[in-house]
Amino acid sequence: MHYLFVLLALGALLIVHELGHLVAARLLGVRVPRFTVGFGPPLLSFRLGGTQFVLGAVPLGASANLQGMNPHRSAEEDTSGFGTLGPLKRMAIILAGPLANYAVALGLLFALYSSGTHVVVPLTVGTVVPGSEAARAQLLPGDKLVAVGGKPLESWSDFVTRVAEGVGGPLELSVDRHGEPRTVTVRPRADERGAGRIGVSQQYVFRTHAPGEAFTQSLVHTGRVASETVSTLMALVRGPQVAGRAGPGALMRQESSDVASSTASGADALVRALVAASVALAMLTLVPVPGLDGGRVLLLAIEAVSGRRIPPRVETVAQTAGFLFLSIGIVATAGAEIVRALPSPQAPAAMPPAAATPPVEADAGTPRVVTPAPP
């Protein structure tokens, strides 16, 4: 069910992406003869504003057919084609797709923060997993984390990083409990990825924001998700094994699980999952690889700087090579996901509770309502 949600969400976001291209093209005078939603035999077709809109039998994804987009036909006599525009205007049309996804994410978050949602309490413990290292050290919900090993903390992400790197060794935590300073010592346990965990999550409170504050929070939130997406893409470059742990599948599993975290916060988590998917799609398409929007923008930037048009044959070869590169990456990532899903032949028949359910911590990225893991 979670993967079905992700599939439908990505399909809707791809439609938004292509609509961004369509709107920008029309505003700059480029004809868009056809806009297709989904694929397969057409079920519905109508004309609006000079564009033929077609709904396919499988309504997943979309494509906008811009006049003159094919570089081999750009020399045709056409006063309203994509190829007749200067590189900066063509760049604007290409960038409109990712910007549309980012704008949707901002709009969803603005509505969420304006209507009220759970927001993070900086560096404050929200839950402590029973039996975890944090519980043994007598950390309590509401404790404010001040320093680790005498070094002041700047953010929850900073705390998570230091704990992750401290596997097996003692870590001295300085906390503030209702104005009273305390010091506790913990020994982080390694999780399935080898990162240290002590069994705490970040605290959240429910708040309704004024419009100005809601917009500011939305910008901060999307910026945080974009940073996480860049980190994920960098992890993918390291290879399929890392992709299985930190690739799009891992990101979607985490975001999808939030949707079903609880009935009370289901709508909240649903919006956050859509925001994460929308920002991730925007960032992914901006990767400067031929075959993606980022690759087209790179070629147009080269054209704008050099003052010379990229030969159609060079552009076609670059786009083909980029498509092959992306195909290899998709196959490698899918393979890692399949391997991850298969049961391990060396897995023991029974595991002690502490090993079967490792302590969990709040994600250092997108704020979310956290449901504590069972002990």
Side-chain angles (χ1 to χ4, degrees):
M1 183 61 70
H2 293 165
Y3 284 103
L4 177 61
F5 161 75
V6 172
L7 188 63
L8 293 176
L10 287 177
L13 294 174
L14 285 171
I15 294 174
V16 171
H17 184 94
E18 292 299 319
L19 282 174
H21 292 314
L22 181 147
V23 172
R26 295 291 298 271
L27 289 176
L28 291 174
V30 176
R31 292 185 62 250
V32 184
R34 186 182 179 90
F35 185 91
T36 304
V37 175
F39 56 92
L43 299 180
L44 177 66
S45 177
F46 62 92
R47 180 171 294 276
L48 179 64
T51 299
Q52 188 74 25
F53 290 86
V54 179
L55 175 63
V58 183
L60 294 176
S63 63
N65 180 19
L66 275 61
Q67 186 76 26
M69 193 72 170
N70 189 330
H72 296 283
R73 299 179 181 177
S74 60
E76 296 178 355
E77 294 184 2
D78 184 8
T79 59
S80 60
F82 179 81
T84 62
L85 300 179
L88 294 182
K89 289 186 177 181
R90 280 180 282 154
M91 197 180 298
I93 293 176
I94 298 300
L95 289 175
L99 286 176
N101 288 125
Y102 210 91
V104 165
L106 280 175
L108 288 172
L109 284 174
F110 180 81
L112 181 65
Y113 282 112
S114 298
S115 60
T117 184
H118 288 82
V119 295
V120 65
V121 180
L123 285 171
T124 302
V125 176
T127 60
V128 178
V129 178
S132 66
E133 289 298 313
R136 291 189 180 96
Q138 297 185 352
L139 278 174
L140 298 177
D143 285 350
K144 184 174 182 180
L145 300 168
V146 178
V148 175
K151 296 181 179 179
L153 291 169
E154 298 180 356
S155 65
W156 186 266
S157 177
D158 186 19
F159 169 66
V160 171
T161 300
R162 297 193 198 182
V163 171
E165 295 172 349
V167 178
L171 279 183
E172 188 178 81
L173 305 181
S174 300
V175 302
D176 183 330
R177 182 173 296 170
H178 307 299
E180 179 183 347
R182 290 174 177 263
T183 302
V184 300
T185 301
V186 296
R187 288 181 175 271
R189 301 180 189 177
D191 63 6
E192 68 278 2
R193 295 176 296 175
R197 294 288 183 265
I198 63 173
V200 296
S201 64
Q202 197 167 193
Q203 187 179 86
Y204 293 84
V205 295
F206 188 85
R207 281 190 56 194
T208 301
H209 298 74
E213 188 180 8
F215 182 71
T216 301
Q217 289 292 331
S218 301
L219 289 175
V220 173
H221 190 141
T222 53
R224 189 180 296 117
V225 177
S227 177
E228 286 184 357
T229 305
V230 172
S231 298
T232 299
L233 292 174
M234 294 299 293
L236 284 173
V237 176
R238 302 176 197 167
Q241 292 183 344
V242 178
R245 299 192 301 267
L251 177 63
M252 287 297 119
R253 281 192 300 272
Q254 178 63 60
E255 298 299 340
S256 304
S257 65
D258 289 339
V259 176
S261 60
S262 67
T263 56
S265 60
D268 187 296
L270 173 62
V271 171
R272 292 175 187 271
L274 287 173
V275 166
S278 191
V279 174
L281 179 61
M283 300 301 295
L284 175 63
T285 54
L286 285 176
V287 174
V289 175
L292 294 177
D293 290 341
R296 291 182 178 274
V297 170
L298 178 61
L299 293 177
L300 289 172
I302 294 174
E303 179 181 330
V305 172
S306 65
R308 301 174 61 182
R309 186 133 190 167
I310 302 294
R313 181 173 298 179
V314 173
E315 184 175 347
T316 300
V317 170
Q319 299 289 356
T320 303
F323 177 77
L324 292 175
F325 174 81
L326 290 173
S327 299
I328 293 172
I330 291 172
V331 171
T333 303
E337 288 292 314
I338 293 173
V339 171
R340 179 191 177 281
L342 293 176
S344 174
Q346 299 178 349
M351 299 179 65
T357 308
V360 297
E361 293 190 50
D363 195 311
T366 309
R368 53 175 64 90
V369 181
V370 178
T371 302

